[in-house]
Amino acid sequence: MSDRKVISFENLKIACKSCSLVTLCLPMGLDPEDMDRLDRIIKRSRPLHRGDHLFRESDPFECLYIVKTGSVKTYAPSEDGGEQVLGFHLPGELIGLDAIENASHNCSAKVLETAAICEIPFGHLEELSTSMPSLQHQMYRLLSREISQDESMLTLLGKNNAEERLAAFLLSLSARFKRRGFSPYDFYLSMSRHEIGNYLGLAVETVSRLFTRFQEEGLLEVERKHIKLLDLQRMETVTRRSHSDKDRIQST
Amino acid sequence: MSDRKVISFENLKIACKSCSLVTLCLPMGLDPEDMDRLDRIIKRSRPLHRGDHLFRESDPFECLYIVKTGSVKTYAPSEDGGEQVLGFHLPGELIGLDAIENASHNCSAKVLETAAICEIPFGHLEELSTSMPSLQHQMYRLLSREISQDESMLTLLGKNNAEERLAAFLLSLSARFKRRGFSPYDFYLSMSRHEIGNYLGLAVETVSRLFTRFQEEGLLEVERKHIKLLDLQRMETVTRRSHSDKDRIQST
DNA sequence: CTTTTCGTTTGATCTGGATCAAGTTGATTC
DNA sequence: GAATCAACTTGATCCAGATCAAACGAAAAG
């Protein structure tokens, strides 16, 4: 009887080959047959809502997750109730790669905006990649990319001041929205000022003041979560405003 | 004629199965036959000396490197001659994993202490791992571990103050020396104060003052590069001295 | 041996961003 | 509508750690 309902559910469960994310997601570059094989092990859950967890720290590691729609943050909770935000994840991005090693998650993943998620049982994925060199290659690439990203984040936290960090953050979001077919100039933040600050190693107040300052400088317009970047070019230069000649380490 | 020389060179070129690092290195856990297959693609170069580069940023990515003896630092050079130290690498540690994605290195690797290095052509390794599930699994684990480590470094830089960072750094070195059969209490630093500071996002002077302070507090004895940790237990508590209840983010 | 050089230490001062303290603005509930 | 509450903003103050400055010591070079 409730055929319509089933059908509308199924709409969310598009196969990889008909998914708009295919060019920037895990199956990227697989040939149609391989993509089908991968497709068969992927589970597509009903949408999760703001505040829901994909997994929590110390949960047993079963699956990798890919954001299909919506957004997700990952964070490392600390004993005392604090947390370090590790990343914000947009459609097509893979979550959980840091859990492979010790078979349990060492961060938590929480939904920021209602999200459709693809679940990939890692055991199956690993098995599949044994007989599918292109998939194995893709996994190596994605793992490696995650490392590169973490390293540039380390550089950002180690070397850049507050305004450089926020500028870099906004430009990163902008570029990622662009790749996904959204405007790189005009978008909504799915995270709070608090979460941005936490992610960037800054206090909320600093983030807030910087938004105000950037607006005064004509770099952007901001109204709550709504951001309009007015000058990407100039924002780019802000990320290097303090080109610190300091700590050069002379070659030995 | 120079048989002795050849033999002494060959001493450095021990096969994985007779290498003392086998329990914490790439071939860890492979069965003897697989280990031999891996062994055959590994190149063992003559020792490199302080200041030599394994590779530089933007070099084409050909190989992964494993430190066999000595130590190596990796760092991201920036346009203006500065750099961000990304890591210090001890025997058994794999270097270059961040280069897989874009086929060229995005950091540089420089020898700190005369080092024997194993070179692993990545193309061959990837090929091999296609037909060797245990090797593939090991690669996934090592890539994942790198991500975990980078993430805990992000937390350290984002949340911890100067003394917590240095304490954590010393304990990390201590634990890694211990795993390698060296004393966890008594060791030599192969990097300068400057490089430690750079790695931890601190000024040289701060690092120096902290060493002095730790010594005054009876946590360690330091004489130039020589460190004696007197109380690991207490040092552990130093890494959490400021348990900042701040930035809790209430669950939504 | 003396001189240079580079890494390190120590002291004095300065400052970016944290912290503290009020508001303000919207959204949600009653 | 009023009341509550959470997210955000803005201002005032403070401080950890950066920066500046100077000296010291070890090791290398002459």
Side-chain angles (χ1 to χ4, degrees):
Chain A
M1 33 151 197
S2 61
D3 250 36
R4 298 257 291 293
K5 196 172 176 188
V6 170
I7 287 170
S8 77
F9 252 141
E10 289 310 311
N11 279 343
L12 280 169
K13 305 190 177 182
I14 301 167
C16 290
K17 63 183 165 208
S18 9
C19 176
S20 63
L21 295 169
V22 71
T23 57
L24 46 73
C25 189
L26 176 61
M28 174 183 125
L30 297 189
D31 66 42
E33 192 191 334
D34 285 350
M35 202 178 295
D36 277 340
R37 291 175 66 196
L38 173 59
D39 203 74
R40 258 174 255 128
I41 69 166
I42 296 180
K43 293 185 270 184
R44 288 156 180 106
S45 65
R46 71 189 55 211
L48 299 177
H49 299 101
R50 178 167 178 77
D52 291 345
H53 274 85
L54 275 59
F55 54 81
R56 288 166 197 272
E57 193 215 16
S58 84
D59 281 356
F61 170 59
E62 306 285 358
C63 295
L64 296 176
Y65 300 84
I66 298 179
V67 182
K68 187 169 193 163
T69 63
S71 59
V72 171
K73 79 165 176 182
T74 46
Y75 63 98
S78 60
E79 326 71 50
D80 52 40
E83 61 183 58
Q84 171 68 42
V85 174
L86 296 170
F88 302 107
H89 306 275
L90 302 184
E93 293 176 346
L94 199 49
I95 301 176
L97 291 173
D98 58 346
I100 297 172
E101 196 218 345
N102 56 352
S104 86
H105 287 284
N106 38 42
C107 67
S108 302
K110 187 150 75 168
V111 172
L112 291 174
E113 286 175 313
T114 305
I117 303 290
C118 296
E119 254 180 74
I120 307 158
F122 183 70
H124 287 170
L125 180 64
E126 196 173 0
E127 219 176 296
L128 207 56
S129 73
T130 303
S131 64
M132 210 189 283
S134 57
L135 179 60
Q136 181 195 261
H137 185 69
Q138 178 69 349
M139 283 298 294
Y140 287 154
R141 289 189 59 242
L142 291 173
L143 282 153
S144 174
R145 179 199 295 182
E146 190 76 18
I147 295 169
S148 294
Q149 285 168 353
D150 286 348
E151 284 175 354
S152 55
M153 197 62 198
L154 285 176
T155 302
L156 195 71
L157 294 187
K159 290 275 164 298
N160 294 100
N161 65 23
E163 72 171 8
E164 291 163 346
R165 293 184 203 183
L166 186 61
F169 171 69
L170 292 173
L171 286 175
S172 159
L173 275 186
S174 169
R176 285 149 76 201
F177 283 129
K178 186 176 183 183
R179 270 212 58 140
R180 283 158 185 77
F182 301 112
S183 169
Y185 306 108
D186 188 315
F187 49 84
Y188 284 81
L189 299 173
S190 58
M191 69 296 288
S192 68
R193 303 285 191 269
H194 198 126
E195 289 166 321
I196 295 173
N198 185 307
Y199 178 58
L200 297 175
L202 302 172
V204 206
E205 295 93 329
T206 304
V207 175
S208 180
R209 277 185 250 269
L210 284 172
F211 272 123
T212 306
R213 173 133 62 93
F214 284 169
Q215 183 158 38
E216 287 165 358
E217 293 178 358
L219 281 163
L220 51 73
E221 278 174 25
V222 51
E223 201 205 335
R224 291 209 127 233
K225 308 265 182 195
H226 185 190
I227 304 286
K228 287 186 194 170
L229 298 182
L230 302 178
D231 192 342
L232 293 190
Q233 202 71 44
R234 201 144 60 86
M235 188 67 87
E236 195 67 51
T237 71
V238 173
T239 65
R240 330 187 198 301
R241 203 121 80 175
S242 79
H243 38 66
S244 47
D245 280 312
K246 358 172 173 176
D247 73 349
R248 314 173 64 122
I249 295 182
Q250 57 294 323
S251 44
T252 308
Chain B
M1 31 147 192
S2 60
D3 251 35
R4 295 257 292 292
K5 196 171 176 189
V6 171
I7 288 169
S8 76
F9 252 140
E10 289 309 312
N11 280 342
L12 281 168
K13 305 190 178 183
I14 301 165
C16 290
K17 64 182 166 208
S18 11
C19 177
S20 62
L21 295 169
V22 72
T23 57
L24 46 74
C25 191
L26 176 61
M28 174 183 124
L30 298 189
D31 66 41
E33 193 193 334
D34 285 350
M35 201 178 297
D36 276 343
R37 290 174 66 195
L38 174 58
D39 204 74
R40 259 174 255 128
I41 70 166
I42 296 181
K43 293 185 270 183
R44 288 157 181 105
S45 66
R46 68 189 57 214
L48 299 176
H49 298 100
R50 178 169 178 77
D52 291 345
H53 274 85
L54 274 60
F55 54 82
R56 288 167 196 271
E57 194 214 15
S58 83
D59 280 356
F61 170 59
E62 305 285 356
C63 294
L64 296 175
Y65 300 84
I66 298 178
V67 181
K68 187 167 191 164
T69 64
S71 58
V72 171
K73 80 165 176 182
T74 45
Y75 63 99
S78 58
E79 326 71 49
D80 52 38
E83 60 182 59
Q84 171 68 43
V85 174
L86 296 171
F88 301 107
H89 306 275
L90 302 185
E93 293 175 347
L94 200 48
I95 301 176
L97 292 173
D98 57 347
I100 296 172
E101 195 218 346
N102 56 352
S104 85
H105 288 284
N106 38 41
C107 67
S108 302
K110 186 149 76 167
V111 172
L112 291 173
E113 286 176 313
T114 305
I117 303 290
C118 296
E119 255 180 75
I120 307 158
F122 182 71
H124 288 171
L125 180 63
E126 195 173 1
E127 219 176 299
L128 207 57
S129 73
T130 303
S131 65
M132 211 190 284
S134 57
L135 179 59
Q136 181 196 260
H137 183 70
Q138 177 70 349
M139 282 299 293
Y140 288 155
R141 289 190 60 243
L142 291 173
L143 282 153
S144 174
R145 181 198 294 182
E146 191 76 17
I147 295 169
S148 294
Q149 285 169 354
D150 286 348
E151 284 175 354
S152 56
M153 198 62 198
L154 285 177
T155 302
L156 195 71
L157 293 187
K159 289 276 165 299
N160 295 100
N161 65 22
E163 73 171 7
E164 291 164 345
R165 293 184 202 183
L166 186 62
F169 171 68
L170 291 173
L171 286 174
S172 158
L173 275 185
S174 168
R176 285 150 76 202
F177 283 130
K178 186 176 181 181
R179 272 213 57 145
R180 283 159 184 76
F182 301 112
S183 168
Y185 306 109
D186 187 315
F187 50 84
Y188 285 81
L189 300 174
S190 59
M191 69 296 288
S192 69
R193 302 285 191 271
H194 198 126
E195 288 166 321
I196 295 173
N198 185 306
Y199 178 59
L200 297 175
L202 303 172
V204 206
E205 295 93 328
T206 303
V207 174
S208 180
R209 276 185 252 270
L210 284 171
F211 272 123
T212 307
R213 174 135 61 94
F214 284 169
Q215 184 158 39
E216 286 165 359
E217 293 178 358
L219 281 163
L220 52 72
E221 278 174 25
V222 51
E223 200 204 336
R224 290 209 126 232
K225 308 264 180 194
H226 185 191
I227 304 286
K228 286 186 195 171
L229 299 182
L230 302 178
D231 192 340
L232 293 190
Q233 201 71 43
R234 202 144 61 85
M235 188 66 88
E236 195 68 49
T237 71
V238 173
T239 65
R240 329 188 196 301
R241 202 121 81 176
S242 78
H243 37 65
S244 47
D245 280 311
K246 356 168 178 178
D247 74 349
R248 313 174 65 122
I249 295 180
Q250 56 295 324
S251 44
T252 309

